[in-house]
Amino acid sequence: MKKLITLLFLTIGLVSFGQTTANPDIVCVNATGEQYFVTNTPTSTYQWTITGGGGVLQTGQGTNSITVDWGGVSGLYPNAVTIVETTVSGCVGNPITLNVEILELILQPISSFCLTDPAYTLSANIGGGVFSGTGVVGNDFDPTTAGVGTHVITYSLNGCSTTTNITVNSLPVTGPIQHY
């Protein structure tokens, strides 16, 4: 997924000031192949720096477009992506930075259910996402609606997702009472 670093320039007299994007870029923990770019000036070169979040620049150094693999530690990393453009004349531009938030979604552990158990409210470490799967109604898992078996429940937020399996067990089938 390409991510455009928004460039906003304010001109005061003959001096231009670059400005960081307002919102952080949100990526999933251990995301790979994340692309970042700025509008290309064919005669310029670009120096990218990746800091924090375990980010590693994979391809594109020197160009207007890079690919980054992010690490496994969630959190907000200010100025995680920085780019400096240099013109063919050797003029060095102001650094443009992007904050990156790495999300790790974790579902609350869920035990197995019996077919007639009441609905169970699902929860994750970060709220605001969407639960989906067989038996999911809103933020609840309903064993009766799901039916007997193992069901995959997915939680998604900002392009990241995680899954868990929930098992619904059948009720015992007890034979009729008999007399000897």
Side-chain angles (χ1 to χ4, degrees):
M1 174 180 345
K2 287 192 173 187
K3 315 237 177 177
L4 176 63
I5 297 177
T6 304
L7 301 176
L8 173 64
F9 288 96
L10 304 172
T11 303
I12 302 173
L14 298 175
V15 180
S16 294
F17 299 95
Q19 190 173 28
T20 302
T21 54
N23 295 316
D25 180 40
I26 297 175
V27 297
C28 306
V29 68
N30 294 316
T32 59
E34 295 294 319
Q35 295 180 331
Y36 298 90
F37 67 96
V38 294
T39 302
N40 189 35
T41 303
T43 56
S44 290
T45 58
Y46 301 88
Q47 178 65 41
W48 295 85
T49 306
I50 307 300
T51 58
V56 176
L57 192 149
Q58 295 297 325
T59 63
Q61 184 62 274
T63 72
N64 73 306
S65 177
I66 60 168
T67 303
V68 176
D69 291 348
W70 291 103
V73 179
S74 63
L76 177 62
Y77 296 93
N79 305 324
V81 179
T82 302
I83 184 170
V84 175
E85 179 178 355
T86 303
T87 68
V88 71
S89 305
C91 298
V92 178
N94 293 317
I96 305 298
T97 62
L98 178 66
N99 301 330
V100 173
E101 183 172 1
I102 299 176
L103 290 183
E104 180 177 22
L105 302 179
I106 301 169
L107 293 174
Q108 177 183 354
I110 302 168
S111 62
S112 63
F113 294 91
C114 294
L115 184 61
T116 56
D117 284 345
Y120 174 82
T121 301
L122 300 165
S123 65
N125 63 324
I126 302 172
V130 175
F131 291 97
S132 61
T134 304
V136 174
V137 179
N139 289 338
D140 292 335
F141 174 76
D142 186 350
T144 304
T145 301
V148 173
T150 300
H151 306 282
V152 177
I153 305 303
T154 302
Y155 181 68
S156 302
L157 175 69
N158 291 324
C160 300
S161 64
T162 188
T163 62
T164 190
N165 293 330
I166 298 178
T167 301
V168 178
N169 298 302
S170 61
L171 299 176
V173 179
T174 307
I177 298 174
Q178 298 182 25
H179 178 222
Y180 292 104

